[in-house]
Amino acid sequence: MANVSHTRGDITSHPDASEMRERYARMLGGRDVALVDGPVFLLGLYCAVSPWILHYTTSQPALVTHNLIVGIAIGLLALGFTQTPERMYGLSWAFCAVGIWMIIAPWIVGESPDAAVALNNIVIGALAVILGLMCTVTAAKSAPRP
């Protein structure tokens, strides 16, 4: 029988070690806001499920659909921040725009929302603006200067 157990050897002898190091360095390069990716994803998740948490699915059906779609979009944006940060952090300003939209959406999409629904969207929107500004400022600082 063949010995297929892994030995705890040094990875420097691996044929792709230099390529793996370069990829790792490239992936972590400019990742000053890596800690923002998780909260952005959790914010999107909460936004998507908030109608069921606050129980306004019957009183605000349009806002339920809206929050579900925007929450999924925020979650996908967070996944993009994680997967391809060098491309996605340029779109951090769009996350700020989503936050501003979330603040005003209860009165545009919803039908006379109560205080809890409005406050929920205001908090989600404010957090989105804050996290988006954090991403934007950090991306601007780490951008290469010509």
Side-chain angles (χ1 to χ4, degrees):
M1 191 169 209
N3 182 9
V4 292
S5 63
H6 297 284
T7 59
R8 300 248 181 214
D10 192 13
I11 195 165
T12 56
S13 63
H14 192 279
D16 295 328
S18 62
E19 181 183 336
M20 288 188 292
R21 275 192 211 103
E22 289 173 13
R23 183 175 180 205
Y24 184 73
R26 189 175 61 241
M27 209 166 89
L28 289 181
R31 292 293 309 220
D32 295 336
V33 289
L35 294 176
V36 177
D37 299 347
V40 169
F41 183 76
L42 291 175
L43 183 67
L45 182 65
Y46 174 74
C47 180
V49 299
S50 65
W52 291 274
I53 292 174
L54 296 178
H55 304 291
Y56 61 89
T57 55
T58 56
S59 64
Q60 298 287 334
L63 206 53
V64 170
T65 306
H66 170 270
N67 279 17
L68 179 64
I69 292 170
V70 171
I72 291 170
I74 291 172
L76 290 175
L77 193 59
L79 290 175
F81 286 161
T82 303
Q83 294 296 319
T84 55
E86 65 278 354
R87 293 181 192 170
M88 292 298 292
Y89 280 128
L91 291 176
S92 300
W93 61 269
F95 190 48
C96 294
V98 169
I100 293 169
W101 171 250
M102 283 300 294
I103 292 172
I104 62 174
W107 295 278
I108 296 174
V109 176
E111 299 171 9
S112 63
D114 61 354
V117 173
L119 184 62
N120 177 59
N121 275 30
I122 289 171
V123 169
I124 291 171
L127 288 173
V129 169
I130 291 168
L131 291 171
L133 287 174
M134 287 174 62
C135 290
T136 303
V137 168
T138 306
K141 285 181 183 178
S142 65
R145 303 282 183 226

